[in-house]
Amino acid sequence: MAKPLEGVRVLDLSHVIAGPLASFYLAQLGAEVIKVEPPLAGEVLRSMRDGADTDTPTGFAAINAGKQSLALDIRTREGAELLRGLAAGADVFIENFRPGVVARYGLDHASIRAVRPDIVYCSISGFGQRGDWSQRGAYDHVVQALTGMMMMSGEGDDAPPIKVGFPVVDVAVGMLAALAIVSSLHRRSREGAGQYIDASMVQASLMLMYPNACACLSDGTPTRRVGNRGYTGSPAADTYRCADGWLAVAANTPAQFRRLAGVLGIEALCGDARALDLAAFNAPNGFVVPNDRGYVADRLRQAFAAHSAMRLEAQLAQAGVPAARVRKLEEFLHEADASGCVSLPDHRFRQGGREVRTHGIGFVFEQDGGPTPAGAPSLGQGGKAVLLRAGLDGRRIAELERAGILRTAAEAPEPLAS
């Protein structure tokens, strides 16, 4: 079965997470992705191997599966010329160096467009290609700090900043870049025109906080640190300690609040004018509005403390109130495996004698041909085939290898496990 992006060729100069995740999406959707990396040791994520003797550790393999590796020194005149030649036959070009770096080697948008006028060229950076801060370096937690994300988490204005516990901004900019690339390819198929995409970590961070950012820009609404409370502000959209753990609950509407109160045995709270704005509570639509938030929260804390989080999760789900016991990631993944509580794709591929397992790319197509049946390439794996298809002969490839400009590997990618 054909995949959506079959026939699309991508040259990817990016490294670490943001850019490689963008091209990972393209590879899993059928594109041919040629990962360009330094020939000596490859990109930096290959080094995060936790003592294992491999250049494809799990963190690297997970976001580079299905790609080919062209280990090429773009800092040399011969390497840059070779890459420009390959760009003439490419559809997409991705880079995530600091603005201005690729221009030194003649690999900027203008140079690539000169050899492929309809190229879809995507630059990923911390702060964007323009502006006084464009030359600053950026990492995920630094952008979280800059954009206010660290001050959205936690409880109270005096609490220390708290970052999201995983590289959320890196992942977000990779996903947004993939979306921008796919939409640009569609535009090119319709109009024949290429596109330049400026994707930044700052923009991705603001998109993750989109409702709050828009409220601030439009109405001057300041952000508040709400801890583990839900977005609506309902006192019953929060996370409460139970007898055997924590439970997140989202009783946002009066109807949900009534069901929650019934399960907890505190029905009287629904008619308590000290607790709730009863006019809003009895209106045909809207959210629960507290009159005395502290009083309501204290009543709820006492009620939750007397119940089991595990039992409440099931009871509230049965009653139509969204709720979930707080779990660790590994606990949820094990539970999903053991119980089938949610339907997740199960993709596995062989990688250096071991199995790498994923739950896909965040959605399932009815007709997509399944996951790309290959793991991540070792350094230089697939590069020789790429160059032979581009018209280089074996002698020239050998010369480039001897000069240290190129490195190739002969092994074939391992197929998916059945």
Side-chain angles (χ1 to χ4, degrees), residues 34-364:
I34 301 165
K35 180 178 180 65
V36 182
E37 49 186 326
L40 184 60
E43 74 127 294
V44 66
L45 210 58
R46 289 189 184 272
S47 67
M48 299 182 68
R49 60 189 71 181
D50 295 326
D53 185 19
T54 177
D55 72 346
T56 55
T58 299
F60 174 87
I63 57 176
N64 288 285
K67 304 177 187 179
Q68 302 165 73
S69 171
L70 178 60
L72 181 68
D73 191 347
I74 65 170
R75 299 170 301 174
T76 65
R77 179 181 56 81
E78 297 93 333
E81 286 179 356
L82 180 55
L83 195 57
R84 281 192 296 273
L86 292 175
D91 302 288
V92 177
F93 194 100
I94 302 172
E95 62 90 11
N96 69 343
F97 291 91
R98 201 170 298 189
V101 169
V102 290
R104 300 174 197 165
Y105 312 116
L107 299 172
D108 55 310
H109 176 233
S111 300
I112 299 303
R113 188 176 58 188
V115 298
R116 181 67 192 250
D118 62 350
I119 194 75
V120 173
Y121 190 111
C122 180
S123 292
I124 300 174
S125 64
F127 300 95
Q129 300 298 304
R130 298 178 179 84
D132 292 342
W133 290 0
S134 63
Q135 294 301 309
R136 290 188 178 186
Y139 282 90
D140 186 279
H141 72 284
V142 172
V143 174
Q144 287 192 40
L146 169 76
T147 58
M149 188 177 289
M150 282 188 182
M151 296 302 288
M152 293 283 284
S153 300
E155 186 81 51
D157 293 338
D158 296 328
I162 300 175
K163 81 176 188 71
V164 178
F166 55 92
V168 59
V169 179
D170 280 332
V171 170
V173 72
M175 296 170 72
L176 289 169
L179 173 62
I181 289 166
V182 170
S183 63
S184 297
L185 287 170
H186 176 70
R187 173 178 177 270
R188 191 181 73 168
S189 70
R190 186 185 65 222
E191 301 175 8
Q195 180 68 277
Y196 179 70
I197 300 163
D198 178 1
S200 72
M201 296 172 71
V202 166
Q203 290 183 83
S205 182
L206 293 177
M207 283 307 302
L208 288 166
M209 301 183 290
Y210 185 76
N212 306 86
C214 287
C216 180
L217 289 168
S218 303
D219 307 320
T221 305
T223 55
R224 294 177 298 116
R225 301 182 77 175
V226 298
N228 292 318
R229 293 195 293 278
Y231 180 68
T232 65
S234 166
D238 208 335
T239 306
Y240 288 95
R241 184 186 286 277
C242 299
D244 58 352
W246 292 84
L247 187 81
V249 62
N252 291 303
T253 67
Q256 291 169 335
F257 191 96
R258 288 189 183 93
R259 296 182 198 127
L260 171 67
V263 171
L264 293 175
I266 52 172
E267 294 94 332
L269 204 57
C270 297
D272 187 340
R274 176 186 172 186
L276 304 175
D277 179 335
L278 295 181
F281 192 76
N282 293 308
N285 55 35
F287 297 117
V288 177
V289 179
N291 278 334
D292 187 335
R293 180 178 292 278
Y295 169 67
V296 179
D298 188 58
R299 292 288 305 275
L300 289 168
R301 276 194 293 269
Q302 294 177 37
F304 278 106
H307 288 77
S308 158
M310 187 172 292
R311 286 197 295 272
L312 272 181
E313 180 183 66
Q315 289 174 317
L316 291 173
Q318 183 67 30
V321 179
R325 182 173 58 85
V326 177
R327 298 156 167 84
K328 290 185 175 181
L329 171 63
E330 54 269 30
E331 185 181 359
F332 169 70
L333 293 175
H334 176 74
E335 185 177 358
D337 265 358
S339 69
C341 55
V342 293
S343 176
L344 295 170
D346 190 10
H347 298 166
R348 305 168 190 236
F349 56 87
R350 299 299 302 171
Q351 188 73 58
R354 69 192 192 282
E355 183 178 73
V356 175
R357 184 181 175 200
T358 86
H359 280 314
I361 55 177
F363 54 85
V364 177

Side-chain angles (χ1 to χ4, degrees), residues 384 387-388 392-401 406 408:
K384 187 172 184 178
L387 297 176
L388 289 171
L392 273 72
D393 59 26
R395 179 180 299 177
R396 179 56 178 156
I397 292 172
E399 289 174 354
L400 291 169
E401 287 204 83
L406 180 68
T408 65

